[in-house]
């Protein structure tokens, strides 16, 4: 597998061709998930071929946005199947990569450790200090798609999402869960405060 060449190719393509209104699903998101995946993988003892496949899946997991937002995971797999053979990835490796990409679809459905790691890395920010900053990028993007209109709607959506979400790997649970739960309580408080203001 020619990993470095693959990385250069897909990052370049995403930089050039991703729609500019994608404030969240940008190259920065890919880099963020990449670092989170590397960190989780090292804690979880993932090395060698498995690590290469994991990081390749991370690089391509949102490439479907080059075509459209809907079903982007499936489209990402199409892109993987189209380009990776040229970089010496064999059919079995490509299918494992697609398994990881499809696992990130919400609600997440990982079936093995590598799929658990990419799922946790994709939503690593939920349990970090930059949660609200990154959340604002997602809010702006969903607003462009007309999927969300107000801050109150967004906060309620976040509560629903954070309540349902759980981390899969022991590492992510240890490193991120407590902070994520804290964010959830903060947002619930924001909704309550807004309601109290409306009632006065």
């Amino acid at each position: 597998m020619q990993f470095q060449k693959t990385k250069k190719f897909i990052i370049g393509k995403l930089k050039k061709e991703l729609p500019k209104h994608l404030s969240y699903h940008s190259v920065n998101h890919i880099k963020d998930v990449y670092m989170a995946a590397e960190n989780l993988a090292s804690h979880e003892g993932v090395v060698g071929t498995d690590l290469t496949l994991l990081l390749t899946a991370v690089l391509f997991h949102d490439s479907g946005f080059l075509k459209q937002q809907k079903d982007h995971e499936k489209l990402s797999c199409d892109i993987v199947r189209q380009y990776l053979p040229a970089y010496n990835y064999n059919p079995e490796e490509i299918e494992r990569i697609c398994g990881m990409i499809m696992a990130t679809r919400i609600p997440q459905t990982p079936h093995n450790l590598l799929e658990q790691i990419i799922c946790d890395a994709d939503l690593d920010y939920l349990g970090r200090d930059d949660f609200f900053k990154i959340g604002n990028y997602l809010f702006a993007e969903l607003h462009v798609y007309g999927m969300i209109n107000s801050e109150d709607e967004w906060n309620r959506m976040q509560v629903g999402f954070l309540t349902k979400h759980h981390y899969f790997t022991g590492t992510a649970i240890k490193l991120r869960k407590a902070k994520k739960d804290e964010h959830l309580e903060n947002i619930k408080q924001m909704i309550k405060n807004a309601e109290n203001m409306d009632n006065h």
Side-chain angles (χ1 to χ4, degrees):
M1 293 181 277
Q2 299 173 304
F3 176 71
Q4 290 306 331
K5 281 187 178 166
T6 305
K7 184 178 177 183
K8 200 174 159 201
F9 159 73
I10 190 62
I11 293 284
K13 190 172 174 62
L14 292 169
K15 266 188 186 150
K16 209 163 67 220
E17 296 172 30
L18 272 180
K20 292 291 167 257
H21 65 258
L22 294 174
S23 45
Y24 175 82
H25 289 102
S26 61
V27 172
N28 283 339
H29 169 68
I30 302 296
K31 290 178 175 169
D32 184 89
V33 177
Y34 189 94
M35 284 190 333
E38 277 188 319
N39 181 38
L40 288 168
S42 75
H43 281 87
E44 295 285 335
V46 174
V47 293
T49 301
D50 281 354
L51 182 59
T52 303
L53 293 176
L54 170 68
L55 295 177
T56 305
V58 167
L59 290 170
F60 281 86
H61 83 283
D62 281 336
S63 58
F65 277 94
L66 291 165
K67 297 178 180 173
Q68 62 180 45
Q69 187 259 339
K70 193 178 175 334
D71 292 329
H72 67 267
E73 297 91 353
K74 201 175 146 311
L75 297 169
S76 298
C77 288
D78 294 345
I79 291 170
V80 161
R81 292 190 182 106
Q82 181 185 350
Y83 290 107
L84 286 186
Y87 294 98
N88 297 343
Y89 286 74
N90 67 39
E92 191 222 347
E93 290 161 347
I94 287 170
E95 287 320 301
R96 287 182 69 195
I97 288 167
C98 287
M100 285 183 253
I101 292 172
M102 292 310 294
T104 65
R105 195 177 196 150
I106 305 297
Q108 297 175 324
T109 52
H111 300 107
N112 56 50
L113 180 60
L114 294 183
E115 292 179 8
Q116 289 182 345
I117 291 175
I118 193 172
C119 286
D120 286 351
D122 198 18
L123 295 173
D124 187 62
Y125 85 97
L126 296 180
R128 291 196 324 235
D129 291 334
D130 55 358
F131 167 76
F132 287 100
K133 184 181 152 203
I134 290 179
N136 286 338
Y137 296 139
L138 185 55
F139 173 74
E141 184 176 308
L142 293 174
H143 190 67
V144 169
Y145 283 117
M147 290 159 85
I148 205 145
N149 294 308
S150 69
E151 195 148 325
D152 182 60
E153 206 182 323
W154 167 239
N155 284 336
R156 288 172 193 279
M157 186 174 163
Q158 294 243 81
V159 166
F161 189 76
L162 287 167
T163 305
K164 283 199 201 89
H165 171 267
H166 60 267
Y167 286 114
F168 298 98
T169 60
T171 306
I173 291 166
K174 196 169 78 197
L175 296 178
R176 301 286 181 244
K177 186 184 180 307
K179 179 64 85 175
K180 188 195 84 168
D181 292 345
E182 204 179 296
H183 294 322
L184 175 58
E185 290 315 308
N186 285 339
I187 299 169
K188 284 181 179 169
Q189 196 54 53
M190 282 153 74
I191 293 171
K192 222 181 245 161
N193 294 347
E195 280 172 355
N196 289 340
M197 281 174 71
D198 290 345
N199 294 335
H200 287 304

